[in-house]
Amino acid sequence: MKKIYCLLFLATLIGCQKKNRHQEVNKLFQKDITSLIEKVAKLKYSVEEDSTEAQIQRQFLEAHQNYKKVELLSEYYSPSVSKAINGPAIPEFEENDKVTVPPEGFQVIEELVFPKYSKANKQELIQELGVLEANLTRLEKVSGSNELTDAHVFDAMRLEVYRIITLGITGFDSPVVLNSLPEALASLETIEKYYRVYLQDQSVSNSKQVLQTFEKGKKYLKSNTNFNAFDRAYFIKEILNPLSKGLFKTQSELGISLMKEQRGLKVTAQTLFDKDAFDPEAFSGFPDYKTTPEKVELGKKLFNDPILSGNNTRSCASCHHAEKAFTDGLERAVSLDGKSMLQRNTPTLSNIAFQRVFFADSRVSYLEDQAIAVIKNENEMHGSLEKSALAIQKNAEYVKSFKKAFPKGEINEFAIKNALASYIRSLSQYDSKFDSYMQNETAFTADEKAGFNLFAGKAKCATCHFIPLTNGTVPPNFDRSESEILGLPDKNKKLDGDLGKFVITQAAIHKNSFKTPTIRNIELTAPYMHNGVYKTLEEVIDFYNEGGGLGKGFDVPNQTLPEDKLNLSDKEKKQLIAFMKTLTDKKYSSN
């Protein structure tokens, strides 16, 4: 009898251990937060005591690397606090309150400590460290109430792998000192630490392979520490992609469910580069009006029909040509009157659905609203959806198509714009050589691979054009799209007068601010930039290589593009273009 009770007790104990693995993970997380708070306190003390520059810089690096140990769960459960701790060192405009919030956290402190520390900044640095300490205290407090589950932990682990790919090894949050590789190591070690918790007393068929991948990754990061020379293509393809796949398989074998929610990056994606990893529907603001083949067919018909314009002479396709990745090849589109030019360059519609805002000035949030804004604009189509609906109702073929697309057969303003948006969403299915390369289906040339490593490294392209979408939609949650101030010239080589997003928000930080567009299919979408000022990719790269408007000597105090020269060689510029050409979708390259 005693043996039976002992067996029952052991079974219960093991069962409890299995159920509470997420609690053990949370304890590790709390311990790392405590360690991080201590590291920041030491850094602050060193500043207060006027320690040497070398010591202050070393302690900053140690503290920031310690942040990487808490980032996985901090970003997952407390994104707003995490942003205050480690967000970009640029002001942010709060849309609801109409106020500009100054930056804070590690990236602000980094700029005060590197590349040289001046005691003239001592009081400001102490103040910023005090703010950081307060935010870390907030994190410690809110993390105590985290309701972790095993599903959440695995979800967060895979998202952290994606964060290493997109924001870690690209230098996004270590923009001055470029300590990204040691920080990626800290992130990787944390994922492994949490993963090992789930291997206790359990047999998982792929655990040996996953652990070997961790070891391979750590070894590679330790032996390849030069930021500019780091082979990101190898690291992603041979280590991080297999790792996220391995985590997915382990989760499945352990019977831990996936999250039940619709996201831009599907929860079922095993890597960031899976075919159909992104869900255009999740970027839609109208989940009850899902895209269907019938809507796409109807939307395509409307897209190519001048019936939506005021004088029945212009369709959407008039300015968005399919063979040019739905651009028009012009510096700026011609106005409806056929005489003047529109204010801005015609953007590509290819892969446009993977964004959270639309138009260069980010003035609308949904594709449906983008469609109606163009149709109603007096210089573009000068149409009326109300009048178009009445005209369409008299067309028997359209009546039949609307009945197929919409169960109730309604022909109204919303149905028209929803059908148009559905068609445009259908254009967001990328299948370029880059995608095939990341899916191990094709090889890159030496120049294409070098170009990718430049794009995600030395050239810093991927710090704004985030991998893999190459637009400004911020990974790994892809829940917001960014704008940047570049200090772009006009055709007279003076600072362009278009104020961009400022016209919408009236916030000083948005003067000359424009949404970061996708650069997929970029070889087909010249001329470039919102004003079409550059005719070639070579000109675009030269502009960035010089440090944008500030590098040209323009007065752009709010420029978000770093003004430091990139020092790209002629060979590197050609390699960068070679990579960019791999972003052309096969449906266009085959034409």
Side-chain angles (χ1 to χ4, degrees):
M1 185 64 72
K2 287 183 178 179
K3 288 183 179 179
I4 293 173
Y5 279 123
C6 287
L7 289 172
L8 287 171
F9 175 75
L10 287 172
T12 303
L13 181 62
I14 292 171
C16 289
Q17 287 179 337
K18 288 182 179 179
K19 289 178 183 176
N20 296 327
R21 303 219 184 259
H22 54 273
Q23 293 179 354
E24 187 172 341
V25 167
N26 200 26
K27 288 179 182 177
L28 294 171
F29 175 50
Q30 297 287 340
K31 184 178 179 181
D32 284 335
I33 293 175
T34 300
S35 177
L36 174 57
I37 290 172
E38 291 172 355
K39 291 288 185 182
V40 171
K42 287 182 180 179
L43 171 59
K44 186 180 178 185
Y45 179 78
S46 292
V47 174
E48 290 171 337
E49 295 299 307
D50 293 324
S51 296
T52 64
E53 177 187 72
Q55 184 173 348
I56 289 171
Q57 290 180 339
R58 177 178 55 79
Q59 289 186 336
F60 171 84
L61 295 177
E62 288 179 2
H64 200 218
Q65 284 172 222
N66 267 258
Y67 170 73
K68 291 296 176 177
K69 296 179 181 180
V70 306
E71 179 183 64
L72 188 157
L73 290 179
S74 173
E75 284 280 359
Y76 194 84
Y77 281 98
S78 309
S80 60
V81 181
S82 299
K83 188 175 182 181
I85 293 171
N86 195 49
I90 54 177
E92 182 155 319
F93 184 71
E94 295 287 353
E95 299 280 353
N96 294 334
D97 299 325
K98 305 296 181 185
V99 295
T100 299
V101 180
E104 57 190 10
F106 275 113
Q107 292 193 48
V108 173
I109 294 167
E110 181 178 339
E111 293 184 354
L112 293 171
V113 174
F114 290 94
K116 297 287 292 181
Y117 169 62
S118 170
K119 286 186 180 179
N121 297 327
K122 177 179 177 178
Q123 291 308 313
E124 183 182 358
L125 180 54
I126 290 173
Q127 181 178 339
E128 290 295 340
L129 286 166
V131 172
L132 177 59
E133 284 182 320
N135 284 321
L136 289 174
T137 301
R138 280 176 63 202
L139 177 63
E140 186 176 42
K141 184 175 180 180
V142 298
S143 64
S145 58
N146 287 346
E147 295 182 2
L148 271 70
T149 68
D150 295 332
H152 286 110
V153 173
F154 269 88
D155 193 37
M157 286 195 292
R158 283 196 291 135
L159 286 174
E160 186 67 8
V161 174
Y162 304 150
R163 190 174 285 109
I164 294 173
I165 293 172
T166 57
L167 305 178
I169 57 177
T170 62
F172 176 81
D173 62 356
S174 184
V176 180
V177 70
L178 298 178
N179 194 46
S180 304
L181 304 180
E183 290 172 4
L185 176 61
S187 298
L188 198 63
E189 288 173 337
T190 303
I191 302 171
E192 180 186 12
K193 181 168 62 176
Y194 292 173
Y195 180 76
R196 285 183 178 276
V197 170
Y198 287 87
L199 303 183
Q200 298 170 11
D201 306 316
Q202 296 190 83
S203 176
V204 180
S205 65
N206 75 325
S207 61
K208 183 177 179 181
Q209 183 180 4
V210 173
L211 292 174
Q212 286 174 343
T213 304
F214 277 119
E215 288 303 315
K216 185 178 179 181
K218 291 187 295 183
K219 183 178 179 181
Y220 193 79
L221 284 166
K222 289 175 183 177
S223 58
N224 295 272
T225 57
N226 185 306
F227 180 85
N228 287 344
F230 190 74
D231 191 342
R232 290 161 177 82
Y234 169 85
F235 191 65
I236 292 170
K237 280 170 58 75
E238 302 300 323
I239 295 163
L240 296 182
N241 281 351
L243 182 58
S244 62
K245 281 184 179 179
L247 293 172
F248 187 95
K249 184 176 179 181
T250 295
Q251 180 177 356
S252 177
E253 188 168 332
L254 292 175
I256 299 171
S257 62
L258 296 172
M259 302 305 296
K260 306 293 184 185
E261 57 187 41
Q262 189 177 33
R263 297 179 184 168
L265 175 63
K266 296 177 183 176
V267 295
T268 54
Q270 296 188 38
T271 78
L272 198 58
F273 306 94
D274 281 5
K275 285 186 172 111
D276 301 319
F278 289 86
D279 182 5
E281 212 66 37
F283 289 83
S284 168
F286 304 94
D288 295 333
Y289 291 86
K290 292 185 177 180
T291 302
T292 64
E294 293 78 14
K295 286 183 183 180
V296 171
E297 183 182 354
L298 172 59
K300 183 176 183 179
K301 189 183 298 184
L302 289 167
F303 186 87
N304 289 279
D305 195 334
I307 196 172
L308 298 179
S309 65
N311 59 9
N312 293 322
T313 63
R314 173 175 283 190
S315 69
C316 303
S318 298
C319 297
H320 295 281
H321 307 160
E323 71 278 8
K324 291 184 171 68
F326 293 91
T327 59
D328 58 9
L330 302 175
E331 179 182 311
R332 289 177 290 154
V334 178
S335 182
L336 186 63
D337 61 15
K339 301 175 183 177
S340 57
M341 297 174 73
L342 296 180
Q343 184 182 18
R344 295 169 185 151
N345 178 259
T346 300
T348 178
L349 297 183
S350 180
N351 299 306
I352 197 175
F354 301 130
Q355 299 177 14
R356 297 295 179 179
V357 292
F358 301 93
F359 292 113
D361 53 18
S362 307
R363 66 181 180 270
V364 302
S365 300
Y366 306 115
L367 278 173
E368 279 80 356
D369 294 333
Q370 182 200 38
I372 195 171
V374 172
I375 291 168
K376 287 185 174 182
N377 187 294
E378 64 178 17
N379 294 316
E380 296 187 61
M381 294 180 73
H382 203 192
S384 162
L385 287 187
E386 184 180 1
K387 291 180 180 178
S388 295
L390 292 174
I392 288 169
Q393 288 168 10
K394 298 174 184 177
N395 185 307
E397 188 178 337
Y398 266 127
V399 171
K400 187 185 295 184
S401 295
F402 270 89
K403 195 161 186 65
K404 282 183 182 178
F406 297 92
K408 296 178 182 178
E410 62 264 38
I411 301 177
N412 54 30
E413 292 186 37
F414 180 79
I416 292 171
K417 68 181 186 179
N418 183 236
L420 281 169
S422 296
Y423 171 61
I424 295 170
R425 271 190 281 276
S426 76
L427 305 177
S428 298
Q429 296 177 333
Y430 50 78
D431 64 345
S432 67
K433 183 178 182 179
F434 169 65
D435 302 304
S436 296
Y437 174 71
M438 282 297 175
Q439 292 156 11
N440 297 314
E441 293 177 353
T442 192
F444 264 3
T445 66
D447 280 345
E448 287 168 346
K449 183 181 178 184
F452 171 75
N453 284 327
L454 286 163
F455 182 89
K458 179 182 177 182
K460 300 182 181 179
C461 310
T463 59
C464 293
H465 296 276
F466 301 111
I467 301 168
L469 299 178
T470 71
N471 62 22
T473 309
V474 185
N477 297 319
F478 300 96
D479 55 2
R480 72 181 192 279
S481 294
E482 291 191 340
S483 295
E484 301 290 343
I485 297 100
L486 308 178
L488 199 67
D490 59 20
K491 61 184 179 181
N492 298 315
K493 298 184 179 181
K494 295 182 178 180
L495 181 65
D496 186 75
D498 190 337
L499 295 178
K501 196 173 179 179
F502 173 79
V503 176
I504 310 300
T505 67
Q506 295 296 301
I509 63 168
H510 287 154
K511 282 184 178 179
N512 308 109
S513 177
F514 296 91
K515 177 175 65 98
T516 304
T518 182
I519 60 169
R520 282 180 174 269
N521 302 302
I522 194 167
E523 70 172 316
L524 303 176
T525 61
Y528 304 108
M529 318 308 269
H530 70 267
N531 59 359
V533 68
Y534 294 131
K535 306 300 184 287
T536 68
L537 286 174
E538 286 81 1
E539 291 176 295
V540 174
I541 291 173
D542 284 341
F543 171 74
Y544 284 103
N545 194 43
E546 292 173 12
L550 286 173
K552 286 180 169 293
F554 295 159
D555 181 21
V556 196
N558 62 333
Q559 180 173 307
T560 56
L561 177 72
E563 64 180 293
D564 301 329
K565 295 185 184 301
L566 296 173
N567 298 314
L568 297 173
S569 67
D570 289 341
K571 181 180 180 180
E572 287 174 328
K573 292 176 186 178
K574 290 177 181 177
Q575 290 172 330
L576 200 51
I577 291 173
F579 163 67
M580 288 183 185
K581 289 183 177 181
T582 72
L583 295 169
T584 301
D585 287 330
K586 294 171 188 173
K587 57 180 170 281
Y588 299 123
S589 57
S590 63
N591 291 333

